[in-house]
Amino acid sequence: KIDPLGPWKSKAAVLRYLKASGWQIEKQTFYNHAKPGHRDFKLAADNGYYTKDRVDKYAREWLVRRDTGLKVAEEEDGIARIKTEEEIKRIRQDIAIKQYKFDIERKMYIARELLELEIVGRAGVLDSGFNFLIQSRALEMVVMVGGDQKKVPEFIAFIQAEWNKMLAGFARLDNIDAMFEDE
């Protein structure tokens, strides 16, 4: 049984404490770290005792956590990296929102309601135009084909040309004023 608060007189007690605290360390590695004069010496006793503060500092600097496989500094670097990545993501989102608002001010977007009204207005103009074509130019169409079935291709070409003119008007980007009356 080990005293989790130390101080510890024996290296074996310190090793048991480190393992119980979640540090990954082999017995020989620890003894090399705690042996004065060894090339891997890292943990010195204070008047023959190993204090908890000194052992914890040694573990944070030199040992790897058993659960993560990382040193404390590496864990902190990973957390700092994640925090930095999240901050960059937040900054990019802020920039995108500001760009969107700027584009709205530059009239790069139009409100959905205005777009729907514009489409409805253009569809109304298209419908009126096609109906007007049939009613106003019906006589011209009848004369064009003269009741002759051989002239059907000319009739089709005429209707298609007129339809294409109306579609071009529908696709124009300038404003169309449409009047709606309540029934």
Side-chain angles (χ1 to χ4, degrees):
K1 192 166 183 171
I2 55 170
D3 179 4
L5 301 176
W8 303 279
K9 180 117 177 110
S10 73
K11 292 176 187 171
V14 174
L15 182 60
R16 283 193 303 273
Y17 165 74
L18 289 171
K19 287 187 174 192
S21 298
W23 297 102
Q24 181 177 321
I25 186 160
E26 298 298 322
K27 179 179 177 181
Q28 189 58 52
T29 302
F30 172 72
Y31 278 95
N32 290 342
H33 287 180
K35 183 177 182 181
H38 192 279
R39 63 184 168 94
D40 291 335
F41 178 67
K42 294 173 177 46
L43 177 64
D46 187 17
N47 294 326
Y49 286 93
Y50 296 94
T51 63
K52 182 176 182 329
D53 289 342
R54 186 171 283 192
V55 171
D56 288 342
K57 182 179 179 193
Y58 156 76
R60 285 191 306 274
E61 289 179 15
W62 299 103
L63 302 183
V64 172
R65 301 284 305 162
R66 191 173 31 239
D67 56 348
T68 63
L70 300 171
K71 291 183 178 180
V72 170
E74 291 170 338
E75 288 176 347
E76 290 170 354
D77 287 346
I79 291 169
R81 181 182 42 77
I82 291 169
K83 184 177 178 183
T84 301
E85 288 171 358
E86 290 298 317
E87 182 67 14
I88 290 169
K89 183 179 174 182
R90 187 192 61 74
I91 289 169
R92 286 186 176 146
Q93 288 173 341
D94 287 348
I95 289 170
I97 289 168
K98 287 177 183 174
Q99 182 65 47
Y100 175 71
K101 288 178 180 178
F102 179 67
D103 287 346
I104 288 173
E105 288 176 12
R106 291 178 39 218
K107 308 274 189 234
M108 300 296 291
Y109 296 98
I110 72 170
R112 181 180 203 95
E113 307 83 47
L114 295 176
L115 177 65
E116 290 170 352
L117 281 174
E118 184 75 17
I119 290 172
V120 166
R122 288 176 185 262
V125 169
L126 188 63
D127 183 51
S128 297
F130 189 72
N131 285 328
F132 179 75
L133 168 71
I134 292 171
Q135 292 176 7
S136 67
R137 300 187 69 191
L139 184 59
E140 183 183 341
M141 289 183 237
V142 169
V143 169
M144 181 188 302
V145 295
D148 187 355
Q149 291 185 2
K150 293 178 186 172
K151 294 187 179 182
V152 167
E154 290 131 7
F155 175 74
I156 291 171
F158 174 78
I159 292 292
Q160 285 177 333
E162 293 300 316
W163 180 249
N164 287 338
K165 285 180 197 173
M166 283 186 280
L167 285 179
F170 183 75
R172 280 193 339 242
L173 294 177
D174 57 342
N175 290 332
I176 294 176
D177 294 326
M179 303 288 281
F180 297 98
E181 293 181 13
D182 290 336
E183 292 183 30

